[in-house]
């Protein structure tokens, strides 16, 4: 739902009624994870996706039927399941909840949208099945609980959709590579901080949508760590090409107990000098193995934009725990979204 929050708000404020479809469970191979959502507005326009194409037409019909009748309900889409007989290329089974969406149907939605925009934890509990039809579609909003799951309780099923704070990328060094990388990782859902001790280069106007901090990077990272703001979802990428900034920063970063990804850009020679300096500081080989240097996958990148793709790809592979090998060389399923039934 996060990707279509603004579209949902527009419908909510219009006073008209649209339709909302939410993928509450994906079994087998599915191109979209549970929690993905699609909205149909009052003009019949579509925003978002629950299946990346293979079931969209069938879901669209189910959503518009919910808008027309006012009924909320679960639908199953998939080959050979005997329900919602559709011709699809999906090899997995999708359970989708459809509901009308408006001020009357979801009066609390602006509060949810405000929490998401402010990067606050918020969780939406939705009754997607109940023995009493009047209970289906009821929402409960809370700032507790993590995860996205379908919970089976006596006489009801409840879908739990938790919007956690986005992962954080700290970029050290304000330059063209930083701007390109910030643009790339924001597409992956990261909130981005660019830190540089040079106020002339660290201009907020040059990096829209990013937090820009003018401070020595190692001092900023120490402050963030002391405030409990660094965890396994945090990434740090050093783009400064200056030892007086990067070595103190890497010294702090390598001592952190939790960090999802740590990388530094530079040539092979810069990498050798970087390791020598860190080894002189007392770091052993196992600790230095946590540092991805030179940063990025080998894509033949040369420009800032190409380098940003290479680093973002390595970051995504590290976040998902994958090998980053070509898909054409793998035999495992392409999509690995697990079933989320408890």
């Amino acid at each position: 739902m996060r990707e279509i929050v603004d579209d949902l708000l527009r419908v909510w404020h219009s006073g008209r009624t649209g339709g909302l479809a939410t993928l509450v469970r994906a079994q087998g191979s599915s191109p979209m994870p549970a929690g993905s959502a699609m909205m149909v507005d009052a003009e019949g326009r579509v925003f978002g996706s629950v299946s990346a194409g293979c079931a969209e037409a069938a879901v669209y019909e189910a959503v518009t039927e919910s808008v027309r009748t006012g009924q909320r309900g679960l639908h199953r889409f998939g080959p050979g399941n005997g329900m919602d007989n559709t011709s699809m290329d999906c090899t997995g089974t999708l359970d989708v909840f459809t509901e009308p969406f408006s001020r009357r149907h979801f009066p609390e939605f602006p509060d949810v949208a405000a929490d998401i925009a402010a990067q606050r934890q918020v969780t939406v509990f939705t009754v997607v099945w109940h023995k009493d039809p009047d209970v289906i579609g009821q929402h409960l909003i809370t700032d507790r609980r993590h995860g996205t799951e379908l919970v089976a309780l006596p006489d009801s099923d409840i879908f739990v959709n938790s919007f956690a704070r986005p992962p954080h990328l700290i970029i050290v060094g304000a330059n063209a590579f930083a701007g390109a990388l910030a643009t790339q990782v924001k597409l992956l859902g990261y909130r981005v901080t660019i830190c540089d001790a040079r106020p002339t280069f660290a201009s907020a106007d040059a990096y829209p949508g990013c937090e820009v901090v003018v401070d020595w990077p190692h001092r900023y990272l120490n402050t963030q760590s002391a405030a409990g703001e660094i965890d396994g979802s945090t990434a740090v990428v050093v783009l400064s090409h200056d030892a007086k900034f990067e070595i103190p920063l890497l010294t702090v970063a390598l001592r952190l107990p939790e960090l999802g990804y740590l990388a530094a850009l530079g040539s092979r020679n810069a990498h050798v000098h970087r390791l020598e300096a860190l080894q002189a500081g007392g770091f052993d080989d196992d600790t230095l193995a946590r540092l991805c240097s030179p940063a990025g996958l080998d894509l033949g990148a040369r420009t800032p934009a190409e380098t940003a793709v290479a680093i973002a790809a390595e970051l995504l592979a590290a976040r998902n725990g994958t090998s980053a090998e070509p898909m054409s060389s793998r035999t495992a399923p392409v999509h690995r979204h697990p079933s989320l039934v408890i």
Side-chain angles (χ1 to χ4, degrees), residues 85 183 290 321:
N85 186 21
T183 298
R290 296 169 50 197

Side-chain angles (χ1 to χ4, degrees), residues 67-93:
V67 175
R68 186 183 69 81
T69 63
Q71 299 296 310
R72 308 166 177 89
L74 271 175
H75 307 264
R76 175 160 290 178
F77 303 95
N81 56 36
M83 301 176 63
D84 292 297
N85 186 21
T86 58
S87 176
M88 305 188 307
D89 293 328
C90 298
T91 58
T93 299

Side-chain angles (χ1 to χ4, degrees), residues 172-262:
V172 176
N175 52 41
F177 289 91
L181 181 59
T183 298
Q184 192 70 37
V185 299
K186 281 189 290 183
L187 295 174
L188 300 178
Y190 279 82
R191 56 191 178 95
V192 180
T193 297
I194 296 175
C195 183
D196 198 307
R198 305 166 300 171
T200 303
F201 293 91
S203 168
D205 292 339
Y207 303 98
C210 301
E211 176 192 29
V212 178
V213 174
V214 180
D215 198 355
W216 281 83
H218 72 280
R219 185 163 58 190
Y220 169 73
L221 193 60
N222 265 326
T223 301
Q224 290 289 294
S225 178
E229 292 293 321
I230 305 296
D231 59 25
S233 69
T234 308
V236 177
V237 177
V238 183
L239 304 176
S240 63
H241 299 283
D242 192 329
K244 70 175 179 288
F245 293 123
E246 71 171 32
I247 298 304
L249 180 280
L250 291 173
T251 298
V252 173
L254 287 168
R255 290 173 177 161
L256 293 173
E258 284 189 289
L259 196 62
Y261 175 73
L262 176 63

